[in-house]
Amino acid sequence: MVHVLQSYIGGRYTASKAAETFDNTNPATGKLISRVEIALEPEVDAALRSAEEGLKLWSAMSGAERGRILNKAARILRDRNNELARLEVQDTGKPIQEAEAVDVVSGADCIEYFAGVAGSLRGEQIALNNAFVYTRREPIGICVGIGSWNYPIQIACWKSAPALACGNAMIFKTSELTPTTSAKLAEIYTEAGVPDGVFNVLHGDARTGTLLTSDPRVAKISLTGSVGTAKKILAAAAASLKRTTMELSGKSALLVFPDADLRQAVSAAMLGNFYTQGEICTNCTRVYVHEDIHDRFVDMVVERTKKLRVGDPLAPETQVGALISQVHMDRVLGFVAAGQKEGARLRYGGERVDEDELARGNFVRPAVFTDCTDDMSIVRQEIFGPVMSVLKFRDEDDAITRANATRYGLAAGVFTRDLARAHRVAARLEAGICWINNYNVTPVEMPFGGIKESGFGHENGQAAIDHYTQLKSVYVELGDVQCPYE
């Protein structure tokens, strides 16, 4: 019997009145995982009403009380790491070695971090003549989190942890492609003691998202997704001036200078292109390598890429799993074909892997392109797949100018042993996140966000607190009212 996944509202799974569903399939096998009920008007309204009730209880707790509950949720996540990682693999197609080491653990790290922050939220006191002012950080109300399909449980944690720590309620709308683990997170929050309604999970399509983003009861929207989706949400949010945080697409650059540790730079480039099958928004899919070391860099990349093991995501030895859907796989293969047609040299990979049981899934062998130019589609457009484009550069100014010549500004990386150059280049790169001598390392302590069309606002770090609280100023008079009227 096929499992039917329902929305999680008010501390329990709730059947939708319309009983309209879509299929959730395993991208590695094509097998049906579950049928997922779509939340429409009745379920959205129920979620908002339960969030209003839960918010009254949750916001009235002290930060320390909320922190204790969130810490318990983090412990439960860690205890269930392997179980949740397997569910994540079935939904996303990523290798189990990644899901067990990163996905659930990073979510637990985030909840622990903001559990500690919850009890430290405070305003300031400002002394004046015969008066003083104090400020309060207060919850903003009901927040909506909209997740992406590449890191479902991590993104649900990254959005819910700061929201809940600050005393808000959150309704999390899952991706249609990966709905399973966010609902498990809701179960865990309930088990840890989060009041019913404070964290609801709705499944659905664009209709569900539109109902949430246009409802005046929602105070804030946080999206991880595409630029096109963000523009639609911003238009809907404008009607009631909702706060928004947008974490969007990227076409990031990695700059490798001639004095770099070559092996470390290659490792970073591979992580920044092939981890999670390349389905990471910050990936450095434009790798600019100085002409003096270009050929050695490429030879090393190709040699190591050939050793990557593409296979069953649940096999411990697999390093590259399945892309999220056949539609997405066809899109990635289309970019590979376009790269060759436009004159780039495909040094390795780029074909569908369909031997034996892998034929039922969406597997693509990691691709390495050289002889690329900045006007090629594989260099300009976000592919969101395992496709690396390597480009030559001559000097620092040339590399920076070309790296910045994009409408995106999510991330960038620099590899050099010259720390003066590293800081100088990082300062000039137009990106919200810059790594020096590493790539795609995202500790929860570090603010995460982009600029230009890669979005605005920040997740993680102390910066996230500003996005989930509102500041109230209170003026206290100690003397007489200065009134000019008799």
Side-chain angles (χ1 to χ4, degrees):
M1 186 173 181
V2 177
H3 174 63
V4 177
L5 181 59
Q6 300 172 334
S7 292
Y8 193 91
I9 301 171
R12 62 185 179 88
Y13 288 100
T14 303
S16 70
K17 295 195 182 307
E20 187 177 343
T21 65
F22 60 84
D23 290 347
N24 178 33
T25 59
N26 186 323
T29 66
K31 292 181 179 178
L32 183 65
I33 298 172
S34 62
R35 290 197 169 91
V36 186
E37 289 191 343
I38 297 174
L40 295 171
E41 287 94 339
E43 293 73 47
V44 170
D45 182 64
L48 285 162
R49 284 188 285 107
S50 74
E52 288 176 324
E53 292 303 310
L55 180 64
K56 295 174 186 176
L57 296 173
W58 187 243
S59 62
M61 292 183 183
S62 70
E65 289 176 300
R66 293 196 297 267
R68 281 195 294 271
I69 293 171
L70 292 176
N71 267 321
K72 184 175 180 181
R75 288 194 297 272
I76 297 170
L77 273 172
R78 293 192 189 282
D79 290 343
R80 299 183 185 173
N81 179 67
N82 292 354
E83 164 204 341
L84 294 168
R86 288 184 68 86
L87 292 175
E88 198 79 320
V89 168
Q90 290 169 15
D91 252 8
T92 64
K94 67 176 58 185
I96 187 69
Q97 62 172 249
E98 294 182 16
E100 287 183 342
V102 175
D103 294 52
V104 183
V105 173
S106 62
D109 287 347
C110 183
I111 294 174
E112 281 178 339
Y113 176 83
F114 285 105
V117 169
S120 68
L121 295 175
R122 62 188 183 276
E124 62 177 338
Q125 191 265 345
I126 306 165
L128 303 169
N129 291 331
N130 296 316
F132 68 93
V133 171
Y134 65 90
T135 61
R136 292 169 48 89
R137 284 204 171 271
E138 299 180 342
I140 56 177
I142 299 174
C143 305
V144 166
I146 301 176
S148 181
W149 46 257
N150 56 341
Y151 278 83
I153 197 165
Q154 182 200 69
I155 291 171
C157 291
W158 278 22
K159 295 189 185 303
S160 64
L164 269 57
C166 294
N168 302 288
M170 172 164 277
I171 299 172
F172 189 80
K173 196 267 179 196
T174 64
S175 165
E176 295 165 74
L177 295 171
T178 53
T180 307
T181 53
S182 300
K184 291 297 181 183
L185 176 62
E187 291 180 22
I188 287 169
Y189 276 140
T190 297
E191 182 180 342
V194 173
D196 293 347
V198 172
F199 184 72
N200 295 320
V201 173
L202 298 183
H203 308 297
D205 52 23
R207 292 171 293 172
T208 313
T210 299
L211 288 167
L212 285 168
T213 55
S214 60
D215 196 290
R217 288 170 287 183
V218 173
K220 176 188 169 59
I221 303 165
S222 176
L223 167 73
T224 298
S226 69
V227 174
T229 300
K231 291 178 179 178
K232 293 176 184 177
I233 289 174
L234 286 169
S240 54
L241 296 179
K242 292 176 174 57
R243 295 190 183 194
T244 55
T245 298
M246 298 285 149
E247 196 272 286
L248 309 176
S249 306
K251 191 64 183 176
S252 303
L254 176 66
L255 279 56
V256 183
F257 287 90
D259 63 339
D261 183 318
L262 201 57
R263 181 166 183 81
Q264 294 295 315
V266 168
S267 295
M270 292 179 69
L271 283 169
N273 278 273
F274 304 144
Y275 205 73
T276 310
Q277 304 80 241
E279 297 168 328
I280 299 177
C281 55
T282 51
N283 271 0
C284 53
T285 52
R286 297 182 295 147
V287 182
Y288 289 92
V289 184
H290 193 274
E291 59 186 9
D292 290 352
I293 59 169
H294 173 272
D295 292 350
R296 286 188 292 139
F297 180 93
V298 169
D299 288 345
M300 191 178 293
V301 163
V302 171
E303 178 187 2
R304 291 175 61 181
T305 302
K306 288 178 178 178
K307 297 176 182 177
L308 292 176
R309 293 184 289 274
V310 182
D312 175 6
L314 287 171
E317 67 276 8
T318 293
Q319 296 171 304
V320 180
L323 294 172
I324 192 65
S325 68
Q326 183 173 341
V327 170
H328 187 58
M329 176 184 67
D330 291 342
R331 181 177 184 273
V332 171
L333 292 173
F335 272 108
V336 172
Q340 292 174 287
K341 184 178 180 180
E342 292 172 9
R345 181 184 176 191
L346 182 59
R347 293 291 299 267
Y348 179 73
E351 74 275 11
R352 182 178 182 183
V353 182
D354 56 3
E355 296 94 354
D356 303 322
E357 292 187 357
L358 299 188
R360 297 180 298 177
N362 312 311
F363 296 89
V364 172
R365 199 174 306 283
V368 179
F369 276 104
T370 60
D371 300 338
C372 301
T373 58
D374 294 297
D375 59 344
M376 291 178 175
S377 58
I378 57 172
V379 179
R380 290 185 294 105
Q381 298 183 45
E382 184 180 46
I383 300 172
F384 223 61
V387 181
M388 180 192 300
S389 297
V390 184
L391 303 98
K392 288 183 183 179
F393 74 89
R394 289 188 174 182
D395 57 48
E396 185 178 306
D397 286 340
D398 172 47
I400 294 170
T401 299
R402 293 165 64 193
N404 288 339
T406 173
R407 64 193 178 106
Y408 299 116
L410 185 53
V414 183
F415 265 79
T416 177
R417 288 187 172 93
D418 182 343
L419 289 181
R421 170 193 280 156
H423 293 298
R424 183 173 64 243
V425 171
R428 293 179 61 193
L429 287 170
E430 296 171 357
I433 308 160
C434 287
W435 287 282
I436 294 174
N437 294 332
N438 211 328
Y439 205 85
N440 266 352
V441 181
T442 55
V444 68
E445 296 86 354
M446 180 178 77
F448 186 98
I451 60 174
K452 298 198 282 190
E453 287 196 25
S454 290
F456 48 82
H458 289 86
E459 296 181 319
N460 295 342
Q462 291 291 320
I465 299 303
D466 291 334
H467 301 295
Y468 287 100
T469 58
Q470 54 195 5
L471 200 63
K472 176 184 287 181
S473 297
V474 181
Y475 179 99
V476 181
E477 181 60 60
L478 300 178
D480 297 330
V481 175
Q482 300 298 311
C483 179
Y485 312 121
E486 294 184 2

